[in-house]
Amino acid sequence: MRYLDGLAEFCAVVTEGGFTRASETLGVSASFISRRVADLEGRLGVRLLHRTTRSVNLTDIGMRYYERATSILEDIETLESDLAEQQNLAKGRIRVAAGGLFGETWVSGQLAAFARLHPDVDIELGITDRRIDLVREGYDLAVRHGMPDDPDLVVRKIAQRRMMVCAAPDYVNRHGVPAHPKALDAHACLPATGQRWMFQEGENTFEVKVRSRWTSNNGAALAHACRAGLGITRLAETYCTEGIADGSLVVLLKEFEVPPQETVLTYPSRDRLPYRVRALISFLTDAARGLS
């Protein structure tokens, strides 16, 4: 349909904030998108975008057109989703965000299994520990540890994550075992960047500020440093399991651990989620039943 030519490309430019990012999202060249948008403007006889060397901005009429155009594209997507659901088919692109080792291993593995079952689905997995804005950044679903701050997101709990304090046996032999979290100030510690070391004693939860000898924003890197005997770290259980099993790590201060943190699926609150996204949510929820 000629009336729809350039519509998706125009909306992508606005949503992504430029031709280059739109081309990455749509998987085509920026020059192709530029031609499609120019052809759209020519067909309509109006300028939709102000282009400069540094930015792309909507004109007044472009803003009104964008609002209607996104609604039309959403209606088309809903129609296709309805048809796919009637045929029990999942089709289209799903953008998923996940963080840390859990995202690199469990989430990526489950997405690969889902893609094998649904060959008409395209998966884009973004691994990041940054708190993303699902709606603004165009993600369909996120797998996160901890409850989101956004009350407009739908949350589904699928598992729990235990945070534990560990050290190498060599470090313990040289420096001893701290009897209480407050004794950590006498030890070399390996904190994650920006992490707060929280503990619980009875009904009281408290924070301990540790002395940092070696820090990283990557859990696997901290686990390696800990196993090398550089100090004490506090990590999600996923990063410690292998070291505990082979004896290169020992668990400390177990009686002061805070309750496990919820692992959740979060997605925008919509009246009608595309069938492919609902199918993936159901798939991940079923797969997570074997997790602790």
Side-chain angles (χ1 to χ4, degrees), residues 42-71:
R43 190 171 72 248
L44 296 174
V46 297
R47 181 171 293 280
L48 301 173
L49 299 170
H50 289 303
R51 302 168 177 82
T52 69
T53 56
R54 294 188 176 183
S55 65
V56 177
N57 298 297
L58 284 166
T59 64
D60 290 341
I61 196 169
M63 174 63 75
R64 294 195 295 272
Y65 189 80
Y66 172 72
E67 291 172 353
R68 294 292 300 276
T70 53
S71 178

Side-chain angles (χ1 to χ4, degrees), residues 80-270:
E80 292 181 350
S81 180
D82 287 344
L83 292 174
E85 184 169 4
Q86 291 172 22
Q87 303 174 70
N88 198 27
L89 296 174
K91 300 176 65 176
R93 177 176 294 274
I94 306 177
R95 299 188 72 211
V96 181
L101 187 62
F102 188 74
E104 295 171 5
T105 54
W106 188 85
V107 175
S108 64
Q110 297 305 322
L111 291 181
F114 181 82
R116 285 180 63 88
L117 290 175
H118 302 283
D120 291 326
V121 170
D122 298 325
I123 299 288
E124 179 183 337
L125 172 61
I127 299 293
T128 175
D129 289 322
R130 178 176 59 86
R131 289 287 176 178
I132 64 170
D133 185 323
L134 292 182
V135 176
R136 184 177 62 82
E137 299 184 48
Y139 281 92
D140 298 291
L141 176 71
V143 185
R144 282 288 180 255
H145 301 298
M147 303 298 288
D149 298 327
D150 189 344
D152 294 326
L153 291 178
V154 179
V155 177
R156 181 175 296 191
K157 300 175 184 178
I158 61 170
Q160 293 183 324
R161 180 178 73 158
R162 175 188 172 194
M163 298 296 295
M164 54 173 55
V165 176
C166 291
D170 173 65
Y171 179 89
V172 171
N173 290 336
R174 288 184 288 116
H175 301 283
V177 176
H180 191 276
K182 293 181 180 178
L184 288 169
D185 61 2
H187 288 267
C189 293
L190 314 170
T193 306
Q195 184 192 55
R196 301 172 64 196
W197 284 32
M198 304 301 298
F199 297 93
Q200 184 165 313
E201 187 171 20
E203 298 296 322
N204 299 318
T205 301
F206 59 95
E207 178 182 358
V208 171
K209 296 186 181 300
V210 298
R211 179 166 54 89
S212 171
R213 178 185 177 189
W214 199 95
T215 187
S216 174
N217 64 351
N218 181 270
L222 291 168
H224 282 303
C226 186
R227 293 168 78 167
L230 296 185
I232 297 173
T233 193
R234 180 176 181 268
L235 291 170
E237 184 176 11
T238 310
Y239 291 102
C240 306
T241 302
E242 182 180 343
I244 294 170
D246 65 21
S248 59
L249 290 177
V250 294
V251 181
L252 310 177
L253 302 171
K254 183 176 180 180
E255 63 273 30
F256 297 99
E257 291 178 6
V258 295
Q261 189 178 40
E262 299 286 355
T263 301
V264 300
L265 304 180
T266 65
Y267 46 95
S269 179
R270 298 173 180 167

